[in-house]
């Protein structure tokens, strides 16, 4: 549109001080004839633009005149670039930031440039495991903004629920709707049985939780969450999103997360710990640790919450004799079985004793135990 080009031309004049018709044409990807007409239109509209012929000539604003088209303060500009910096991989966002950089007055630009480079997002944890949002976040962002249904390729969890993990078919909330779902529901069930597959969803919003990104989407079974790092493909169907009446992303996420947190605090153990074990317990359990009174022998009473007694016992076993689990009896029995299994491996016992461990492998250790627990149902 011509209005957009005129604004872009004015911003270019402000950013560079003096420009030639060729430079305007190249920057805005128009012909030199169109660029010249736009510059003349600015003059006709009363903008103090003048041209100078000859070597070193060009078009300039009279007396270096400036127009702040943004209305932003320096702090607001810095905050915007600070937030957008780590997310600027999107071509649309990069283009928007370039336009904004041209629009802000020159004194604000160094601050904005510094803010855009002040934050870096590393998608790998210390074990070099990829996390974050995966390669399909921008496609899902477009689907959410455009309000378009997508066919989602998804890899399901291949292990028991673990902390920091909220995947497909996590806690859901139903709403009333009239989406015909016979074939769709069958495809969803098949995907769940295979452990990986495709399903049609209504993208409603994206949420970043402790460094991991999740899609909140409507399905034939209600609201569900999908971890973006497990998304393998995104194919728009062209159909409009069926948006639940009164849907609000923040409220929906709070409800989904609350259900997860309740499930993951379904079991508790009571124990005593040496004082020097408390920092490790806090790092391991985060908000799931509740400390009590100091005992006569100097140890500290504590209660730990988790998704099951077995998982809690396995997590606490690494602290050895620095803790003593007191209750429930099932937790003590789990520790005995684990101890026997370890003794069989490292103490020279028979092979049949080695097979005595019945702990769900893959659930003992967590990516970041200080983060509230998030899990997926299978």
């Amino acid at each position: 549109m011509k209005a957009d080009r005129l604004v872009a031309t004015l911003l270019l004049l402000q950013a560079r001080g003096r420009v030639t018709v060729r430079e305007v044409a190249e920057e805005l990807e128009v012909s030199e004839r169109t660029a010249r007409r736009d510059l003349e239109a600015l003059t006709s509209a009363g903008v103090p633009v003048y041209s100078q012929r000859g070597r070193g000539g060009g078009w300039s604003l009279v007396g270096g005149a400036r127009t702040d088209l943004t209305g932003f303060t320096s702090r607001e500009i810095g905050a915007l670039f600070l937030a957008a910096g780590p997310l600027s991989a999107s071509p649309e966002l990069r283009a928007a930031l370039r336009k904004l950089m041209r629009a802000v007055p020159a004194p604000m630009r160094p601050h904005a440039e510094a803010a855009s480079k002040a934050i870096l997002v590393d998608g790998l944890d210390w074990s070099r495991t990829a996390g974050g949002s995966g390669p399909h976040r921008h496609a899902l962002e477009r689907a959410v903004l455009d309000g378009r249904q997508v066919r989602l390729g998804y890899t399901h969890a291949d292990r028991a629920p673990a902390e920091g993990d909220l995947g497909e078919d996590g806690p859901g909330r139903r709403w009333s709707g009239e989406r015909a779902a016979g074939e769709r529901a069958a495809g969803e069930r098949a995907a769940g049985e295979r452990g990986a597959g495709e399903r049609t969803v209504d993208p409603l919003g994206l949420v970043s939780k402790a460094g991991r990104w999740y899609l909140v989407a409507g399905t034939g079974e209600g609201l569900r969450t999908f971890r973006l790092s497990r998304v393998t493909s995104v194919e728009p169907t062209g159909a409009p999103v069926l948006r639940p009446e009164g849907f609000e992303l923040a409220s929906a996420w709070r409800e989904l997360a609350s259900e997860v947190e309740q499930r993951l605090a379904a079991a508790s153990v009571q124990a005593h710990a040496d004082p020097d074990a408390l920092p490790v317990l806090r790092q391991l359990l985060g908000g799931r640790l509740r400390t009590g009174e100091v005992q006569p022998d100097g140890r500290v009473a504590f209660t730990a919450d988790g998704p099951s007694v077995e998982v809690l016992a396995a997590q606490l076993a690494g602290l050895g004799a620095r803790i003593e689990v007191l209750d429930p009896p099932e937790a003590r029995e789990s520790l005995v079985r684990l101890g026997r299994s370890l003794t069989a491996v490292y103490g020279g016992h028979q092979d049949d004793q080695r097979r005595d461990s019945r702990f769900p492998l893959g659930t003992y250790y967590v990516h970041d135990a200080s983060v509230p627990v998030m899990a997926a149902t299978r």
Side-chain angles (χ1 to χ4, degrees), residues 12-54:
L12 189 60
L13 284 165
Q14 291 185 169
R16 299 188 182 179
R18 183 187 300 272
V19 295
T20 65
V21 171
R22 176 175 293 182
E23 288 172 342
V24 174
E26 291 176 351
E27 181 70 22
L28 302 185
E29 298 181 350
V30 297
S31 67
E32 293 188 17
R33 185 176 181 180
T34 298
R36 185 180 298 279
R37 283 203 304 263
D38 288 345
L39 288 163
E40 292 170 349
L42 287 175
T43 302
S44 301
V47 178
V49 179
Y50 73 98
S51 64
Q52 182 178 349
R53 296 180 179 277

Side-chain angles (χ1 to χ4, degrees), residues 1-20 23-25 27-28 34-35 37-43 45-50 59-62 64-70 98-106 109:
M1 295 176 60
K2 183 174 180 178
D4 293 335
R5 290 202 317 271
L6 292 178
V7 171
T9 301
L10 179 55
L11 296 179
L12 189 60
L13 284 165
Q14 291 185 169
R16 299 188 182 179
R18 183 187 300 272
V19 295
T20 65
E23 288 172 342
V24 174
E27 181 70 22
L28 302 185
T34 298
R37 283 203 304 263
D38 288 345
L39 288 163
E40 292 170 349
L42 287 175
T43 302
V47 178
V49 179
Y50 73 98
W59 292 74
S60 306
L61 289 168
V62 175
R66 303 197 61 79
T67 299
D68 182 6
L69 299 178
T70 67
R98 284 197 301 269
K99 292 177 182 178
L100 182 58
M101 186 67 76
R102 295 173 194 152
V104 300
R109 285 186 204 138

Side-chain angles (χ1 to χ4, degrees), residues 103-124:
V104 300
M108 294 185 182
R109 285 186 204 138
H111 188 65
E113 290 176 352
S116 68
K117 301 173 182 177
I119 292 180
L120 172 69
V121 173
D122 186 349
L124 301 178

